[in-house]
Each structure stands twice: as structure tokens, then as C-alpha cells.
Amino acid sequence: MIKTILRRLSPLLIIAVFAAAAILLVSTKEAPEQKDEVISVPIINVQTVTPQTLSLNLPSYGVVNPKYKTQLVTEVQGRLLSISANFVAGGVAKKGEQLAIIEPSDYEADLMQAEATLAQATAALNEEKARGEVAKIEFKDFGNGLPPELGLRIPQLKKEQANVKYAEAALARAQRNLARTVIRAPFDGIIKARNVDLGQYVTLGTNLGELYDTSIAEIRLPLANEDLAYLESVDNPETAVTLTALLAGKQVTWQGEIVRSENVIDEQTRMVYLVAEIHDPYLRNHKTEGQLPLKYGSFVNAVITGRTVNDVVKLPRHVVRNGQVAVVSADNIIEIRPVNIIRSDVDNIYIQGSFKANERVSTTSINSLNAGQKIKVLGEESKITPVDTDVQVAPTAGE
């Protein structure tokens, strides 16, 4: 009987023991240590800005070409008697330098014949002048009025004068043809190509080769139509330009000048072309130590000097979002400020009249910041003080 009662009451006894242990544990536990709550603030980078006077330079690019280039074409015909050693692709020629000679014997004979013809015409003219003087004497006592022109041999004199002019013209032509048997460089230049060989027979109009002028180089620089607004003058865009290219493994710079605009918008690219000039690109007149020539056919990058603007700040593109920037005040409070954007390029945005000297602009993404937000500047000591949360600590057991 007693065993049955104990068996039935044992679960209740176990429960009672565990309940008493739980009560004891709860009554003896210690309260957790309470700490002051610290406000979490974002840490950002800033850039100190000061408005400046800047030139709104315009980037472009182009290929270097000669301002003048010519085809050396024959004006007489014959066999090539000699060719200069400089008359090769890449050869350098000076103005008036002899490049080739066409067999001149036929033209020398034509010159001698023209000289003889002129001598005969001159003799005939002198003879006719003498006859005219004799006729004047014969008609001196002519009593029937004025003597006839034919009697004074005036028509005959005019004929002989015309013959002399004709002979002089033929002589001048023979002299020019003889001079044209010598092919000369019309200007200082570099030979682009030679199309004939020694002993070859050439006819009128044969293309002997191509010559590039080395005194002035031209570069056509494309610009977007709206970028013309950043030039000092759209109609007369004379300004400086800096050209750079990679030559012989190093970056080389040349200074040039914009001389004109082509004033036509390209139908395919919708670009306007400015033309820059570089004087003495091959350094034939002046050369300094280590300076490299600007060779024709080189691809160059260009920076065109634009108009000067006051009170301008240049910022990286990512700093500006929807025409606004985040300005950091002296007490590290964010101000979202609209700005006046006057120009932008691939890397930067130019802002006018929107900042005071030494203001700080956040270079951290503006999307993560809000107006009036407290921030911490990277590298500065924290200006955020811990906030006393006034948390009541629970008493421990026995207190």
C-alpha cells in the first residue's frame, strides 16, 4: 500500500525538487553590467575647396599631317639621266635642291634654235628701221600732202616688230623647258615616296614622287559642337594647344596654336574640327638637347586652352549627384547643397559660385548621407560624446 502511494507521488516530488532549485538559481543570479550607449556615426573623407580662376581646357586628339604636300610632276618628257641620293622615301630635301635630271639635249637644241630665230628677227627689224629712215628722206619734199604709210614702210616695220616678239616668246619657252629638265624641291621637305627609277622614260604629267613640307604641321582636332562655348571666341578660335604623344617609349610634349575652325559640322560624327599648327615639327631650324621631332602620321592627344572663368571649383564627378554635393560644416554636420555646374568632362565637374574658401566637401557617396546628419571625418578626433542612457541597474540578490 505504502509502495503504491510512493510510486504515485514520486513524479510530484521530482517536480517539486526542480522547482525549488530553479527558484534558488533565479534568486542568486547577478544582474548584467550596464554600459553607456554610443551613437554610431558614419566616417567619411572630405576635400577642402577654394574657388579659383581656371581655364576651361578642352581635350581632343588628331593625326599630324603636313600643311603643304605636293606631287612632283614632269612638265617635259625624256629619259631620266640622274637621280639625287636624297630622292628616296624618307629623304630630306631643301628648297631648290636638285632631285632628278631629264635628258636635256633636245631642249638645248630647241634653245639654240630659238636664239637663232630671235637673232634673225632682230636683224630684219633693224633693216626695216633703216629702210623706213630712207623712205622718210625720199618723201621729204612730197607736195601732195602727207606721205602714205606704206611709202614710209610703217606696216613692214610693225610686222618685223611682231616677228621679234614671237621669237622672244619662243626663246623664253625654250629656256623654261630646258630649266624644267632639272627637277627641284619647291620647299624644304621630306620625300614621302619616289615612283620612278634611273633611265626610265617619262612623259608630260608623270608623277615622279611626293614631297611633304617640313616647315609647318597641321592637326585636325574634333570638338563637340557644345564645347565651342568654352572657347574665348567661336568665330576666331585662336588659342594655345598642348600636344602629347608617346615617342621612343616616353611621353613627349609640343606647343602649338589653333589657327582656324573649319566651320562645318561633320554629318557622321556631328563634330566640329579646329586646326592646330606646329612650326618646324622636324626641328630642322632649332633643336634642343633631348627634343624629339613630331613626325607626320603620329597620333597625338591635345589639350586646347579654353576661356578663363572666375570663382570655379573642380570636383571629381562622383562627388556630385543630381546637381547636389554634401558640404561638411565646422561642427561636422552634413548640408546637401545644390551647385551651379558650368562644365563636366570624363573625370571632373566644374562648379561656379557655389562655395566659399576652405569649405569641406564630402568625397564619400552622397547617397549614404542625409541633410543634418552628424558625421566623423577620417583622420580627425571624434567630436561625438557618449550619450548617458540613464539605465536603471537592477539590484542583485541580497541587496
Side-chain angles (χ1 to χ4, degrees):
M1 183 66 181
I2 295 175
K3 293 180 177 180
T4 303
I5 294 173
L6 291 173
R7 187 172 60 249
R8 292 180 179 179
L9 293 177
S10 59
L12 296 176
L13 292 174
I14 294 172
I15 294 173
V17 171
F18 279 103
I23 292 172
L24 179 62
L25 291 173
V26 170
S27 63
T28 58
K29 75 176 182 177
E30 294 184 0
E33 182 182 358
Q34 300 295 323
K35 296 183 179 179
D36 295 332
E37 182 180 354
V38 179
I39 297 176
S40 176
V41 296
I43 301 175
I44 67 171
N45 283 317
V46 297
Q47 174 181 335
T48 302
V49 298
T50 299
Q52 305 176 50
T53 299
L54 297 178
S55 294
L56 300 180
N57 297 333
L58 304 172
S60 189
Y61 55 88
V63 177
V64 183
N65 289 300
K67 182 174 184 179
Y68 304 110
K69 54 184 178 180
T70 186
Q71 304 287 336
L72 299 173
V73 178
T74 57
E75 299 178 85
V76 293
Q77 60 185 14
R79 195 171 304 280
L80 283 176
L81 191 63
S82 68
I83 293 179
S84 170
N86 290 334
F87 193 17
V88 291
V92 176
K94 294 184 178 181
K95 182 178 180 180
E97 180 180 343
Q98 177 180 301
L99 299 177
I101 297 179
I102 297 174
E103 172 60 48
S105 56
D106 290 342
Y107 299 98
E108 290 172 344
D110 291 342
L111 177 61
M112 294 174 63
Q113 182 177 353
E115 289 173 342
T117 301
L118 177 60
Q120 291 177 350
T122 302
L125 176 62
N126 292 333
E127 183 180 349
E128 191 58 45
K129 287 180 179 179
R131 290 177 178 175
E133 293 299 326
V134 172
K136 288 181 181 179
I137 295 174
E138 292 177 349
F139 281 94
K140 185 177 182 179
D141 299 327
F142 184 69
N144 295 328
L146 293 175
E149 289 187 355
L150 186 61
L152 295 176
R153 305 191 64 82
I154 294 178
Q156 294 88 332
L157 178 63
K158 290 181 178 180
K159 177 182 176 182
E160 297 302 333
Q161 289 174 337
N163 288 338
V164 169
K165 289 184 178 180
Y166 181 86
E168 289 174 342
L171 176 62
R173 184 182 303 108
Q175 291 172 336
R176 288 196 303 270
N177 287 339
L178 181 60
R180 287 167 180 169
T181 61
V182 180
I183 309 301
R184 300 183 183 275
F187 44 70
D188 291 347
I190 184 171
I191 304 298
K192 174 63 171 59
R194 192 189 79 194
N195 304 324
V196 293
D197 290 315
L198 185 65
Q200 181 176 340
Y201 187 87
V202 294
T203 58
L204 291 176
T206 299
N207 183 359
L208 303 179
E210 190 171 9
L211 181 67
Y212 284 178
D213 176 32
T214 55
S215 61
I216 301 177
E218 280 192 347
I219 306 97
R220 298 175 70 237
L221 303 173
L223 280 181
N225 190 35
E226 55 270 19
D227 285 345
L228 295 178
Y230 304 121
L231 296 173
E232 291 289 353
S233 172
V234 177
D235 297 327
N236 188 26
E238 294 184 358
T239 185
V241 59
T242 300
L243 304 174
T244 57
L246 189 63
L247 291 181
K250 66 178 182 179
Q251 198 80 5
V252 186
T253 302
W254 300 270
Q255 296 299 321
E257 183 182 5
I258 301 295
V259 294
R260 69 180 187 276
S261 169
E262 293 187 354
N263 289 322
V264 176
I265 298 177
D266 188 274
E267 296 180 357
Q268 297 181 345
T269 62
R270 310 307 302 167
M271 305 290 273
V272 177
Y273 285 88
L274 302 183
V275 179
E277 284 189 359
I278 299 289
H279 290 267
D280 194 21
Y282 277 79
L283 309 177
R284 298 188 62 184
N285 298 325
H286 304 284
K287 184 177 182 180
T288 59
E289 184 67 25
Q291 191 176 7
L292 295 177
L294 179 58
K295 296 181 179 180
Y296 294 143
S298 300
F299 180 86
V300 293
N301 292 307
V303 177
I304 302 169
T305 302
R307 62 185 176 91
T308 301
V309 183
N310 299 320
D311 196 19
V312 175
V313 168
K314 181 174 71 172
L315 291 175
R317 287 185 64 94
H318 72 274
V319 171
V320 183
R321 290 290 183 273
N322 300 321
Q324 297 177 323
V325 299
V327 180
V328 180
S329 66
D331 54 356
N332 288 357
I333 301 296
I334 291 294
E335 174 195 351
I336 303 300
R337 181 183 299 177
V339 292
N340 176 32
I341 300 173
I342 59 172
R343 182 173 176 262
S344 63
D345 54 33
V346 176
D347 300 315
N348 301 301
I349 286 182
Y350 299 84
I351 299 169
Q352 185 181 35
S354 301
F355 298 102
K356 297 179 181 178
N358 298 321
E359 283 195 301
R360 298 183 299 171
V361 175
S362 170
T363 57
T364 303
S365 175
I366 193 174
N367 294 332
S368 61
L369 302 174
N370 298 310
Q373 183 179 3
K374 193 79 174 180
I375 55 89
K376 179 181 178 182
V377 176
L378 184 65
E380 291 184 357
E381 294 184 1
S382 175
K383 297 183 180 181
I384 307 298
T385 57
V387 177
D388 186 4
T389 56
D390 198 23
V391 176
Q392 183 67 38
V393 181
T396 60
E399 290 185 352

